[in-house]
Amino acid sequence: MGKRQKGLSFYKKKKRISAALVKEILVWCFGIFAAVLIAFAAVYAVGMSTSMIGVSMEPELYNGQRVLINRYAYLMSSPKVGDVIVFLPNGNRNSHYYIKRVVAVPGDTVQIIGGRLYVNGEQIVDERYDKMAEAGIAENPLLLGADEYFVLGDNRNSSEDSRSANIGPVRSSDILGRVWFHMGCDEEGIGFVE
């Protein structure tokens, strides 16, 4: 009996899937599913989403872009200068959500002189923003009340914001939350709002 022949052999050993491997795969699948479910529940419970309407927040946010809103961001604190907030103008439940940046907080005096923003008599210099063509109600000094915020769009000359008599200073009771994440519709894809 003899020798084995050298050369090609088409005999393949069958691979067996062990019970331990199947168990490991199922544990990983369950872990991933549970993590996604918990993340979805957390976002749903804490936040909500809406779409940006118009070009008033370009280049940060674009028309049609989806944003996530943290509805509970201001339960323990108040909006700060630089926050991007979502609000209903004058509490009008029939209006669409407005998304703007806070530039002044309660107790501040706001004025727009020569197309530039002044808060408490000091010019706010930020090279990202163009000179404003219209000062609106901020042409004269405007003292914000105890629960009022002055908001502007990043695209200052294409924004209906606190300068408009229709909007005016935003009351804290009309603020729905803080924008903290945006998705799609721009070259950057998704990201956190600065």
Side-chain angles (χ1 to χ4, degrees), residues 99-123:
I99 302 174
K100 306 293 178 197
R101 188 174 302 277
V102 175
V103 297
V105 295
D108 286 345
T109 300
V110 179
Q111 188 172 12
I112 297 173
I113 304 169
R116 297 292 181 202
L117 175 65
Y118 288 79
V119 177
N120 299 325
E122 292 185 34
Q123 182 180 353

PDB file of all heavy atoms in Angstrom, residues 99-123:
ATOM      1  N   ILE A  99     -34.017  79.468  13.271  1.00  0.00           N
ATOM      2  CA  ILE A  99     -32.708  79.058  13.781  1.00  0.00           C
ATOM      3  C   ILE A  99     -31.771  80.246  13.626  1.00  0.00           C
ATOM      4  O   ILE A  99     -31.523  80.697  12.506  1.00  0.00           O
ATOM      5  CB  ILE A  99     -32.170  77.834  13.008  1.00  0.00           C
ATOM      6  CG1 ILE A  99     -33.153  76.671  13.120  1.00  0.00           C
ATOM      7  CG2 ILE A  99     -30.786  77.447  13.512  1.00  0.00           C
ATOM      8  CD1 ILE A  99     -32.800  75.460  12.267  1.00  0.00           C
ATOM      9  N   LYS A 100     -31.268  80.772  14.744  1.00  0.00           N
ATOM     10  CA  LYS A 100     -30.399  81.958  14.731  1.00  0.00           C
ATOM     11  C   LYS A 100     -29.336  81.836  15.820  1.00  0.00           C
ATOM     12  O   LYS A 100     -29.424  81.017  16.717  1.00  0.00           O
ATOM     13  CB  LYS A 100     -31.208  83.242  14.973  1.00  0.00           C
ATOM     14  CG  LYS A 100     -32.385  83.454  14.053  1.00  0.00           C
ATOM     15  CD  LYS A 100     -31.990  83.701  12.628  1.00  0.00           C
ATOM     16  CE  LYS A 100     -33.252  83.856  11.772  1.00  0.00           C
ATOM     17  NZ  LYS A 100     -33.012  83.709  10.373  1.00  0.00           N
ATOM     18  N   ARG A 101     -28.350  82.736  15.757  1.00  0.00           N
ATOM     19  CA  ARG A 101     -27.255  82.763  16.723  1.00  0.00           C
ATOM     20  C   ARG A 101     -27.485  83.867  17.750  1.00  0.00           C
ATOM     21  O   ARG A 101     -27.823  84.996  17.404  1.00  0.00           O
ATOM     22  CB  ARG A 101     -25.928  83.002  15.995  1.00  0.00           C
ATOM     23  CG  ARG A 101     -24.709  82.845  16.903  1.00  0.00           C
ATOM     24  CD  ARG A 101     -23.416  82.953  16.109  1.00  0.00           C
ATOM     25  NE  ARG A 101     -23.306  81.992  15.042  1.00  0.00           N
ATOM     26  CZ  ARG A 101     -22.893  80.720  15.175  1.00  0.00           C
ATOM     27  NH1 ARG A 101     -22.565  80.277  16.377  1.00  0.00           N
ATOM     28  NH2 ARG A 101     -22.811  79.921  14.135  1.00  0.00           N
ATOM     29  N   VAL A 102     -27.300  83.552  19.032  1.00  0.00           N
ATOM     30  CA  VAL A 102     -27.444  84.527  20.119  1.00  0.00           C
ATOM     31  C   VAL A 102     -26.234  85.471  20.080  1.00  0.00           C
ATOM     32  O   VAL A 102     -25.092  85.021  20.066  1.00  0.00           O
ATOM     33  CB  VAL A 102     -27.519  83.823  21.490  1.00  0.00           C
ATOM     34  CG1 VAL A 102     -27.538  84.845  22.617  1.00  0.00           C
ATOM     35  CG2 VAL A 102     -28.733  82.917  21.558  1.00  0.00           C
ATOM     36  N   VAL A 103     -26.498  86.786  20.048  1.00  0.00           N
ATOM     37  CA  VAL A 103     -25.407  87.771  20.052  1.00  0.00           C
ATOM     38  C   VAL A 103     -25.435  88.649  21.301  1.00  0.00           C
ATOM     39  O   VAL A 103     -24.459  89.332  21.594  1.00  0.00           O
ATOM     40  CB  VAL A 103     -25.402  88.644  18.770  1.00  0.00           C
ATOM     41  CG1 VAL A 103     -25.151  87.793  17.531  1.00  0.00           C
ATOM     42  CG2 VAL A 103     -26.695  89.437  18.637  1.00  0.00           C
ATOM     43  N   ALA A 104     -26.560  88.631  22.032  1.00  0.00           N
ATOM     44  CA  ALA A 104     -26.651  89.422  23.265  1.00  0.00           C
ATOM     45  C   ALA A 104     -27.655  88.748  24.199  1.00  0.00           C
ATOM     46  O   ALA A 104     -28.619  88.133  23.754  1.00  0.00           O
ATOM     47  CB  ALA A 104     -27.076  90.851  22.966  1.00  0.00           C
ATOM     48  N   VAL A 105     -27.397  88.866  25.496  1.00  0.00           N
ATOM     49  CA  VAL A 105     -28.195  88.173  26.517  1.00  0.00           C
ATOM     50  C   VAL A 105     -28.918  89.196  27.414  1.00  0.00           C
ATOM     51  O   VAL A 105     -28.670  90.394  27.304  1.00  0.00           O
ATOM     52  CB  VAL A 105     -27.289  87.238  27.350  1.00  0.00           C
ATOM     53  CG1 VAL A 105     -26.723  86.122  26.468  1.00  0.00           C
ATOM     54  CG2 VAL A 105     -26.174  87.994  28.028  1.00  0.00           C
ATOM     55  N   PRO A 106     -29.805  88.737  28.289  1.00  0.00           N
ATOM     56  CA  PRO A 106     -30.556  89.665  29.145  1.00  0.00           C
ATOM     57  C   PRO A 106     -29.656  90.673  29.861  1.00  0.00           C
ATOM     58  O   PRO A 106     -28.590  90.335  30.366  1.00  0.00           O
ATOM     59  CB  PRO A 106     -31.233  88.730  30.154  1.00  0.00           C
ATOM     60  CG  PRO A 106     -31.438  87.462  29.393  1.00  0.00           C
ATOM     61  CD  PRO A 106     -30.200  87.337  28.540  1.00  0.00           C
ATOM     62  N   GLY A 107     -30.132  91.932  29.851  1.00  0.00           N
ATOM     63  CA  GLY A 107     -29.388  93.008  30.502  1.00  0.00           C
ATOM     64  C   GLY A 107     -28.424  93.733  29.581  1.00  0.00           C
ATOM     65  O   GLY A 107     -27.947  94.816  29.910  1.00  0.00           O
ATOM     66  N   ASP A 108     -28.117  93.152  28.417  1.00  0.00           N
ATOM     67  CA  ASP A 108     -27.221  93.802  27.455  1.00  0.00           C
ATOM     68  C   ASP A 108     -27.966  94.900  26.694  1.00  0.00           C
ATOM     69  O   ASP A 108     -29.180  94.842  26.511  1.00  0.00           O
ATOM     70  CB  ASP A 108     -26.672  92.800  26.430  1.00  0.00           C
ATOM     71  CG  ASP A 108     -25.609  91.873  26.994  1.00  0.00           C
ATOM     72  OD1 ASP A 108     -25.080  92.156  28.091  1.00  0.00           O
ATOM     73  OD2 ASP A 108     -25.301  90.857  26.328  1.00  0.00           O
ATOM     74  N   THR A 109     -27.197  95.892  26.254  1.00  0.00           N
ATOM     75  CA  THR A 109     -27.727  96.928  25.366  1.00  0.00           C
ATOM     76  C   THR A 109     -27.151  96.678  23.982  1.00  0.00           C
ATOM     77  O   THR A 109     -25.935  96.548  23.821  1.00  0.00           O
ATOM     78  CB  THR A 109     -27.329  98.336  25.849  1.00  0.00           C
ATOM     79  OG1 THR A 109     -27.862  98.522  27.176  1.00  0.00           O
ATOM     80  CG2 THR A 109     -27.881  99.409  24.936  1.00  0.00           C
ATOM     81  N   VAL A 110     -28.031  96.597  22.993  1.00  0.00           N
ATOM     82  CA  VAL A 110     -27.640  96.277  21.620  1.00  0.00           C
ATOM     83  C   VAL A 110     -27.902  97.484  20.733  1.00  0.00           C
ATOM     84  O   VAL A 110     -28.922  98.158  20.864  1.00  0.00           O
ATOM     85  CB  VAL A 110     -28.453  95.074  21.092  1.00  0.00           C
ATOM     86  CG1 VAL A 110     -28.084  94.751  19.661  1.00  0.00           C
ATOM     87  CG2 VAL A 110     -28.273  93.872  21.982  1.00  0.00           C
ATOM     88  N   GLN A 111     -26.965  97.731  19.811  1.00  0.00           N
ATOM     89  CA  GLN A 111     -27.172  98.767  18.805  1.00  0.00           C
ATOM     90  C   GLN A 111     -26.360  98.398  17.568  1.00  0.00           C
ATOM     91  O   GLN A 111     -25.276  97.811  17.677  1.00  0.00           O
ATOM     92  CB  GLN A 111     -26.751 100.140  19.320  1.00  0.00           C
ATOM     93  CG  GLN A 111     -27.132 101.265  18.362  1.00  0.00           C
ATOM     94  CD  GLN A 111     -26.892 102.651  18.949  1.00  0.00           C
ATOM     95  OE1 GLN A 111     -26.240 102.815  19.985  1.00  0.00           O
ATOM     96  NE2 GLN A 111     -27.434 103.657  18.291  1.00  0.00           N
ATOM     97  N   ILE A 112     -26.893  98.747  16.414  1.00  0.00           N
ATOM     98  CA  ILE A 112     -26.166  98.532  15.162  1.00  0.00           C
ATOM     99  C   ILE A 112     -25.859  99.906  14.593  1.00  0.00           C
ATOM    100  O   ILE A 112     -26.761 100.701  14.312  1.00  0.00           O
ATOM    101  CB  ILE A 112     -26.980  97.670  14.187  1.00  0.00           C
ATOM    102  CG1 ILE A 112     -27.184  96.282  14.798  1.00  0.00           C
ATOM    103  CG2 ILE A 112     -26.280  97.577  12.832  1.00  0.00           C
ATOM    104  CD1 ILE A 112     -28.110  95.372  14.044  1.00  0.00           C
ATOM    105  N   ILE A 113     -24.565 100.194  14.468  1.00  0.00           N
ATOM    106  CA  ILE A 113     -24.095 101.494  13.980  1.00  0.00           C
ATOM    107  C   ILE A 113     -23.194 101.249  12.779  1.00  0.00           C
ATOM    108  O   ILE A 113     -22.206 100.513  12.875  1.00  0.00           O
ATOM    109  CB  ILE A 113     -23.301 102.243  15.072  1.00  0.00           C
ATOM    110  CG1 ILE A 113     -24.145 102.406  16.342  1.00  0.00           C
ATOM    111  CG2 ILE A 113     -22.807 103.586  14.553  1.00  0.00           C
ATOM    112  CD1 ILE A 113     -23.372 102.904  17.552  1.00  0.00           C
ATOM    113  N   GLY A 114     -23.536 101.873  11.666  1.00  0.00           N
ATOM    114  CA  GLY A 114     -22.708 101.732  10.469  1.00  0.00           C
ATOM    115  C   GLY A 114     -22.565 100.298  10.007  1.00  0.00           C
ATOM    116  O   GLY A 114     -21.522  99.912   9.467  1.00  0.00           O
ATOM    117  N   GLY A 115     -23.596  99.497  10.218  1.00  0.00           N
ATOM    118  CA  GLY A 115     -23.573  98.107   9.773  1.00  0.00           C
ATOM    119  C   GLY A 115     -22.848  97.165  10.711  1.00  0.00           C
ATOM    120  O   GLY A 115     -22.721  95.982  10.432  1.00  0.00           O
ATOM    121  N   ARG A 116     -22.365  97.666  11.835  1.00  0.00           N
ATOM    122  CA  ARG A 116     -21.627  96.840  12.806  1.00  0.00           C
ATOM    123  C   ARG A 116     -22.414  96.700  14.105  1.00  0.00           C
ATOM    124  O   ARG A 116     -23.109  97.619  14.526  1.00  0.00           O
ATOM    125  CB  ARG A 116     -20.253  97.436  13.097  1.00  0.00           C
ATOM    126  CG  ARG A 116     -19.339  97.491  11.892  1.00  0.00           C
ATOM    127  CD  ARG A 116     -18.938  96.104  11.469  1.00  0.00           C
ATOM    128  NE  ARG A 116     -18.037  96.161  10.330  1.00  0.00           N
ATOM    129  CZ  ARG A 116     -17.844  95.172   9.502  1.00  0.00           C
ATOM    130  NH1 ARG A 116     -18.484  94.041   9.660  1.00  0.00           N
ATOM    131  NH2 ARG A 116     -17.009  95.284   8.494  1.00  0.00           N
ATOM    132  N   LEU A 117     -22.249  95.560  14.750  1.00  0.00           N
ATOM    133  CA  LEU A 117     -22.946  95.250  15.990  1.00  0.00           C
ATOM    134  C   LEU A 117     -22.173  95.796  17.183  1.00  0.00           C
ATOM    135  O   LEU A 117     -20.966  95.587  17.307  1.00  0.00           O
ATOM    136  CB  LEU A 117     -23.088  93.724  16.128  1.00  0.00           C
ATOM    137  CG  LEU A 117     -23.686  93.196  17.427  1.00  0.00           C
ATOM    138  CD1 LEU A 117     -25.145  93.636  17.581  1.00  0.00           C
ATOM    139  CD2 LEU A 117     -23.581  91.674  17.473  1.00  0.00           C
ATOM    140  N   TYR A 118     -22.885  96.480  18.067  1.00  0.00           N
ATOM    141  CA  TYR A 118     -22.325  96.971  19.330  1.00  0.00           C
ATOM    142  C   TYR A 118     -23.153  96.376  20.467  1.00  0.00           C
ATOM    143  O   TYR A 118     -24.374  96.458  20.464  1.00  0.00           O
ATOM    144  CB  TYR A 118     -22.383  98.501  19.404  1.00  0.00           C
ATOM    145  CG  TYR A 118     -21.399  99.179  18.487  1.00  0.00           C
ATOM    146  CD1 TYR A 118     -21.655  99.308  17.129  1.00  0.00           C
ATOM    147  CD2 TYR A 118     -20.203  99.690  18.998  1.00  0.00           C
ATOM    148  CE1 TYR A 118     -20.746  99.925  16.286  1.00  0.00           C
ATOM    149  CE2 TYR A 118     -19.283 100.318  18.156  1.00  0.00           C
ATOM    150  CZ  TYR A 118     -19.559 100.425  16.812  1.00  0.00           C
ATOM    151  OH  TYR A 118     -18.643 101.032  15.981  1.00  0.00           O
ATOM    152  N   VAL A 119     -22.473  95.765  21.435  1.00  0.00           N
ATOM    153  CA  VAL A 119     -23.124  95.232  22.624  1.00  0.00           C
ATOM    154  C   VAL A 119     -22.492  95.927  23.820  1.00  0.00           C
ATOM    155  O   VAL A 119     -21.268  95.913  23.984  1.00  0.00           O
ATOM    156  CB  VAL A 119     -22.962  93.703  22.735  1.00  0.00           C
ATOM    157  CG1 VAL A 119     -23.584  93.180  24.012  1.00  0.00           C
ATOM    158  CG2 VAL A 119     -23.587  93.009  21.522  1.00  0.00           C
ATOM    159  N   ASN A 120     -23.340  96.589  24.609  1.00  0.00           N
ATOM    160  CA  ASN A 120     -22.885  97.364  25.777  1.00  0.00           C
ATOM    161  C   ASN A 120     -21.836  98.404  25.387  1.00  0.00           C
ATOM    162  O   ASN A 120     -20.858  98.623  26.099  1.00  0.00           O
ATOM    163  CB  ASN A 120     -22.356  96.434  26.872  1.00  0.00           C
ATOM    164  CG  ASN A 120     -23.425  95.490  27.369  1.00  0.00           C
ATOM    165  OD1 ASN A 120     -24.597  95.845  27.442  1.00  0.00           O
ATOM    166  ND2 ASN A 120     -23.038  94.264  27.686  1.00  0.00           N
ATOM    167  N   GLY A 121     -22.033  99.021  24.230  1.00  0.00           N
ATOM    168  CA  GLY A 121     -21.158 100.096  23.764  1.00  0.00           C
ATOM    169  C   GLY A 121     -19.874  99.640  23.102  1.00  0.00           C
ATOM    170  O   GLY A 121     -19.121 100.465  22.579  1.00  0.00           O
ATOM    171  N   GLU A 122     -19.591  98.343  23.080  1.00  0.00           N
ATOM    172  CA  GLU A 122     -18.367  97.841  22.457  1.00  0.00           C
ATOM    173  C   GLU A 122     -18.690  97.156  21.140  1.00  0.00           C
ATOM    174  O   GLU A 122     -19.603  96.335  21.058  1.00  0.00           O
ATOM    175  CB  GLU A 122     -17.670  96.826  23.373  1.00  0.00           C
ATOM    176  CG  GLU A 122     -17.096  97.439  24.624  1.00  0.00           C
ATOM    177  CD  GLU A 122     -16.318  96.414  25.438  1.00  0.00           C
ATOM    178  OE1 GLU A 122     -15.695  95.510  24.847  1.00  0.00           O
ATOM    179  OE2 GLU A 122     -16.361  96.529  26.669  1.00  0.00           O
ATOM    180  N   GLN A 123     -17.903  97.512  20.104  1.00  0.00           N
ATOM    181  CA  GLN A 123     -18.111  96.887  18.803  1.00  0.00           C
ATOM    182  C   GLN A 123     -17.674  95.430  18.863  1.00  0.00           C
ATOM    183  O   GLN A 123     -16.606  95.099  19.370  1.00  0.00           O
ATOM    184  CB  GLN A 123     -17.320  97.613  17.715  1.00  0.00           C
ATOM    185  CG  GLN A 123     -17.548  97.017  16.340  1.00  0.00           C
ATOM    186  CD  GLN A 123     -16.770  97.732  15.238  1.00  0.00           C
ATOM    187  OE1 GLN A 123     -16.153  98.762  15.463  1.00  0.00           O
ATOM    188  NE2 GLN A 123     -16.798  97.167  14.051  1.00  0.00           N
TER     189      GLN A 123
END
